[in-house]
Amino acid sequence: MSKTIAITGGSGFIGKRLVSRHLELGHRVRVLSRRNHSDEQPTNLEWYRSDLSNPDNRALERFVEGADILYHCAGEISDESTMDATNRAGTDRLAMIAAGHIGRWVQLSTAGVYGYPDSGTITENSSPAPCNTYERSKLAADHAVLGISEAKGMPWSILRPTIVFGHDMPNNSIRALLRAIQSRRFFYIGPTGALLPYIHVDDVVQGLMLCGHEQNALYQTFNLSENILLEEFVGLVADELGCPPPAIRLPGPLIRMCTGLLQHVPGFPLTISRIDALTRRVIYPSVRIVETLGYSPLVGWREGVRSMARTLNG
């Protein structure tokens, strides 16, 4: 049976793949985006050009009306001055309008709401500890959905992926890491055992689809990550690029001291946040989504990274 699917942020990195999946299934898809649509679009696709930060937005009522699933994938990731208005207030406004008019709400959140400890295990029961404006606004958006659900009975699911990667990802951090390995500028920092919390974009879409269609997903929050040993990641990339695997490993305290002194020098490649990212030992288990919804990755980190490495210079 054809369903009506509403997707905010449908022209974004994750949203456009979600749109494609539902169009392939023959569903009627509505997209809410700040961008204009192309002149050619399928007959079962409706485009609503709008901005969630705009408090006077009548288009939202037409967008949500009668949708079987509303995927909320929109969010401001760059401009801190508008993050609260878009991510928190915009979510609150949209959910208030949607309650009673949709079958279920699926929220794309972020594992960043848990903060960035140096080590340990982060589960869905871990206490949130957001560190920046974006993560605080996303946590506030999650709370807004829960509050409206409690008040009006709107069914919901929340997906919290870790760092999402893929060919057209807006963040260049993984590409920079691949290039450092390729150019033999990469070196390990501190002892072995650091973990990279990456997840391929198509696997995030798979998680969202399960949250949207599985009955067991209702009123649940799911974390989603692959916990990748840094040495395994680097070895795979070096093999794919045909370059020698890095062999240099330097003490963490020394590198942090040098970076603290030199990070403001133009062209210096390291920052404290990059060092943190390459030395953390945090595990984000995906046990709940696997056991509850039967999740399994469509792509997986190995094939996703190999694909990015193959097209690095393309």
Side-chain angles (χ1 to χ4, degrees):
M1 180 183 295
S2 178
K3 294 183 177 181
T4 298
I5 310 298
I7 303 174
T8 72
S11 60
F13 175 48
I14 296 171
K16 64 185 178 183
R17 289 169 171 82
L18 189 60
V19 169
S20 295
R21 287 284 298 277
H22 277 286
L23 289 175
E24 289 169 1
L25 292 171
H27 295 155
R28 298 180 296 273
V29 179
R30 301 170 185 165
V31 170
L32 185 75
S33 174
R34 289 180 289 192
R35 303 175 188 174
N36 290 320
H37 63 78
S38 59
D39 292 334
E40 296 183 6
Q41 63 184 47
T43 55
N44 55 333
L45 175 64
E46 297 179 52
W47 198 276
Y48 294 76
R49 186 173 182 271
S50 191
D51 190 330
L52 286 176
S53 65
N54 181 358
D56 183 20
N57 204 325
R58 297 175 182 85
L60 297 183
E61 295 181 4
R62 301 192 304 275
F63 172 70
V64 305
E65 184 62 40
D68 295 287
I69 308 167
L70 190 155
Y71 295 97
H72 185 35
C73 302
E76 177 57 54
I77 62 174
S78 302
D79 185 355
E80 286 195 11
S81 67
T82 63
M83 284 178 181
D84 184 75
T86 300
N87 299 346
R88 180 197 59 79
T91 297
D92 184 74
R93 185 179 306 113
L94 181 63
M96 284 289 290
I97 295 171
H101 298 277
I102 64 171
R104 72 171 72 182
W105 177 291
V106 178
Q107 176 98 337
L108 178 60
S109 183
T110 171
V113 301
Y114 300 111
Y116 299 99
D118 294 330
S119 61
T121 300
I122 298 293
T123 73
E124 292 85 352
N125 296 324
S126 297
S127 298
C131 297
N132 58 43
T133 302
Y134 171 72
E135 289 150 6
R136 286 189 288 270
S137 70
K138 291 295 286 185
L139 181 61
D142 293 350
H143 288 165
V145 171
L146 299 184
I148 291 168
S149 173
E150 184 175 355
K152 298 195 172 187
M154 182 177 70
W156 58 269
S157 299
I158 295 175
L159 185 69
R160 289 176 172 166
T162 50
I163 301 172
V164 185
F165 76 96
H167 284 294
D168 52 343
M169 60 186 296
N171 186 318
N172 281 314
S173 60
I174 295 182
R175 294 190 190 92
L177 178 55
L178 297 183
R179 291 192 176 97
I181 297 168
Q182 182 183 47
S183 63
R184 304 180 69 175
R185 292 181 291 108
F186 177 87
F187 54 86
Y188 293 108
I189 302 170
T192 61
L195 296 168
L196 301 176
Y198 293 156
I199 183 77
H200 192 269
V201 59
D202 289 341
D203 296 329
V204 175
V205 170
Q206 175 72 351
L208 288 169
M209 295 283 289
L210 290 170
C211 287
H213 294 271
E214 294 295 323
Q215 191 67 19
N216 289 343
L218 293 178
Y219 308 106
Q220 296 246 34
T221 296
F222 301 98
N223 292 348
L224 187 58
S225 181
E226 293 201 71
N227 303 290
I228 308 162
L229 190 67
L230 176 62
E231 288 79 10
E232 187 176 357
F233 177 97
V234 173
L236 182 145
V237 171
D239 181 68
E240 188 64 44
L241 294 174
C243 58
I248 298 174
R249 187 178 296 273
L250 298 177
L254 173 65
I255 298 303
R256 287 182 183 277
M257 182 183 69
C258 293
T259 299
L261 294 172
L262 300 174
Q263 64 180 329
H264 299 298
V265 175
F268 188 74
L270 284 176
T271 62
I272 296 299
S273 62
R274 287 180 183 175
I275 294 172
D276 290 341
L278 293 171
T279 57
R280 286 194 180 97
R281 287 159 169 75
V282 181
I283 299 172
Y284 297 83
S286 298
V287 174
R288 179 180 290 181
I289 194 170
V290 170
E291 294 185 348
T292 306
L293 305 184
Y295 166 85
S296 62
L298 290 178
V299 176
W301 76 266
R302 290 176 180 83
E303 181 52 40
V305 170
R306 285 192 185 101
S307 180
M308 285 195 71
R310 286 193 293 268
T311 60
L312 185 61
N313 299 317

